[in-house]
Amino acid sequence: MPSVAFLLVLLLLSATLFVAPKKGYSENEKRILAQAPQFTLERLADGKFTKDLESFVSDQFPLRDFFVGVNAYFNLVSGRNSTAPVYYGKDGYLIGAPADLSTDTALKNVQSFSDFAEENKLSATIMVVPQCGYVMADKLPSLHGEYTDDKIFEVISKNKGNMTFIDVRDTFNKAKNDVQLYYKTDHHITSAGAYELYKLYAAEKEFDVTTDYEVKTEPDFYGTSYSKSGYWLSKPDVLEMWYNKNLKVTVEITEPGKDVVKNDSVFFTDRLEENDKYPVYLDGNHSLTKITNPNAKGGKLLIIKDSFAHCFTAFLAEQYSEIYMVDMRYYRTSVSDLVAENGISEVLYLYGTESMGTDTNSSWLS
């Protein structure tokens, strides 16, 4: 009888799949869900229809969030935490499993960065943020994969050429017991962690840094680690926005084929009304973001980056008259022309080790 009841429930849920309204977006998983695929004989023959149908059934299955959560917690209690894409760590930390980092990819990125700086006569600095699991090793479960961030740092150190390499490892390892460097539900560093980066950069450049900030908080932040985990009972993080009361900037976001978006703050507070709140920092990932500060003493800086730069640059804006943030995942015009047209003299490469060891978009840097 139990098996018959199970089959009846399964059949009922399967039938419900085709009559229930379809969700376009999963708030827990922070992604667009697959929709019903279009059937053609050609798509059936080449396997695309079957593949898309599997994605549709997986994404739209009734009570999907419930079953994803049940599966995650079942794996946890049955001892399979070490095989999950996100580890259920100590003290509420949800930590991404180690990324498969390639030293060859890291080497190509470093060489591209060095060559670009040389060709454009730029003073170059490189900073790389380690994975959360590398720094917060004491929060990992007893069984976990190996974090190979040290290999990425070694590649940079040996091949940096004339670039200044600011190694953050010692600072982070010393600060982690006093400062929450990483979010518990997200792979990014917190505002406090970004401030540690900022102090390191400022010390290298001999900048005076602001210490008096007005800190505003936003509760109930669930980040990328949470959305990938299925651990829906986890406690949320708190986002912090550190306002420099003397900072007066204009932010301009440029995307091909779209109107320029302007803001008078490094914080886009309208983003706090959305499910994904992290883009409150400089509106998230964009092709080109320009920050103008007419009161700054510094010159013009180019930042080639991934998303680890967003919160950090909110601090750095006080130092430079103009900052141009370029994301090579989206920027497809000449960066050299951008440098020449705007009289830029410095470049900062700011990435996470995961991007350094996996992302190949620096090949577009020219």
Side-chain angles (χ1 to χ4, degrees), residues 105-116:
T105 298
L107 177 59
K108 290 177 182 177
N109 284 329
V110 174
Q111 290 174 336
S112 293
F113 294 162
S114 180
D115 291 346
F116 177 80

Side-chain angles (χ1 to χ4, degrees), residues 49-317:
F49 175 79
T50 304
K51 182 179 179 180
D52 290 349
L53 182 62
E54 289 176 357
S55 298
F56 166 70
V57 172
S58 175
D59 281 5
Q60 300 292 345
F61 197 80
L63 302 178
R64 172 184 166 79
D65 286 350
F66 170 77
F67 287 114
V68 167
V70 167
N71 182 66
Y73 285 104
F74 175 77
N75 287 339
L76 179 64
V77 299
S78 61
R80 285 180 280 183
N81 189 24
S82 61
T83 63
V86 174
Y87 298 140
Y88 191 92
K90 301 171 185 176
D91 298 330
Y93 275 87
L94 303 180
I95 302 174
D100 185 12
L101 305 180
S102 165
T103 53
D104 288 340
T105 298
L107 177 59
K108 290 177 182 177
N109 284 329
V110 174
Q111 290 174 336
S112 293
F113 294 162
S114 180
D115 291 346
F116 177 80
E118 291 283 345
E119 291 166 4
N120 289 277
K121 297 179 174 57
L122 297 171
S123 171
T125 304
I126 183 168
M127 298 177 74
V128 177
V129 182
Q131 296 174 89
C132 177
Y134 171 87
V135 176
M136 307 303 296
D138 59 322
K139 306 300 182 185
L140 290 168
S142 56
L143 296 177
H144 58 80
E146 179 187 5
Y147 291 84
T148 58
D149 298 60
D150 283 329
K151 294 181 180 180
I152 302 301
F153 282 93
E154 183 179 0
V155 167
I156 297 170
S157 180
K158 290 182 177 180
N159 299 278
K160 60 185 176 61
N162 293 324
M163 296 188 294
T164 298
F165 175 38
I166 301 178
D167 192 335
V168 309
R169 287 176 292 180
D170 285 345
T171 294
F172 269 32
N173 282 324
K174 291 175 182 176
K176 67 181 181 182
N177 294 322
D178 301 314
V179 174
Q180 184 182 335
L181 298 172
Y182 294 83
Y183 291 106
K184 294 185 177 184
T185 70
D186 192 83
H187 69 287
H188 290 106
I189 53 176
T190 62
S191 293
Y195 188 63
E196 294 297 321
L197 286 186
Y198 176 48
K199 289 190 294 183
L200 270 178
Y201 184 86
E204 177 65 35
K205 300 295 182 178
E206 299 183 344
F207 292 148
D208 293 326
V209 299
T210 299
T211 57
D212 182 21
Y213 292 91
E214 179 185 0
V215 179
K216 296 183 180 180
T217 60
E218 177 69 18
D220 300 327
F221 169 59
Y222 290 99
T224 54
S225 301
Y226 172 85
S227 64
K228 294 176 182 179
S229 72
Y231 296 124
W232 307 141
L233 302 180
S234 300
K235 293 182 179 179
D237 280 299
V238 174
L239 282 176
E240 291 185 346
M241 291 148 282
W242 293 28
Y243 282 86
N244 179 344
K245 289 174 282 187
N246 298 315
L247 182 63
K248 306 295 182 184
V249 301
T250 300
V251 179
E252 298 176 76
I253 295 172
T254 303
E255 293 286 4
K258 297 182 180 180
D259 293 336
V260 174
V261 175
K262 294 186 178 182
N263 201 48
D264 60 359
S265 171
V266 292
F267 302 113
F268 284 66
T269 53
D270 57 322
R271 290 291 205 152
L272 297 175
E273 304 300 320
E274 301 175 4
N275 180 258
D276 182 10
K277 302 176 188 294
Y278 192 77
V280 68
Y281 306 111
L282 289 169
D283 204 49
N285 293 313
H286 290 285
S287 176
L288 173 63
T289 302
K290 178 183 177 182
I291 307 169
T292 304
N293 178 3
N295 299 321
K297 296 179 181 178
K300 300 179 180 182
L301 173 71
L302 170 68
I303 300 179
I304 306 294
K305 58 82 183 180
D306 65 11
S307 58
F308 277 96
H310 301 166
C311 188
F312 167 83
T313 305
F315 291 106
L316 193 61

Side-chain angles (χ1 to χ4, degrees), residues 41-53:
L41 292 176
E42 181 181 358
R43 297 184 78 249
L44 179 63
D46 63 17
K48 291 181 180 178
F49 175 79
T50 304
K51 182 179 179 180
D52 290 349
L53 182 62

Side-chain angles (χ1 to χ4, degrees), residues 17-46:
L17 169 67
F18 294 97
V19 297
K22 305 303 180 285
K23 295 176 62 176
Y25 182 80
S26 169
E27 292 191 353
N28 278 338
E29 297 178 75
K30 293 183 173 62
R31 67 180 182 88
I32 296 173
L33 299 177
Q35 301 300 304
Q38 181 181 6
F39 176 82
T40 64
L41 292 176
E42 181 181 358
R43 297 184 78 249
L44 179 63
D46 63 17

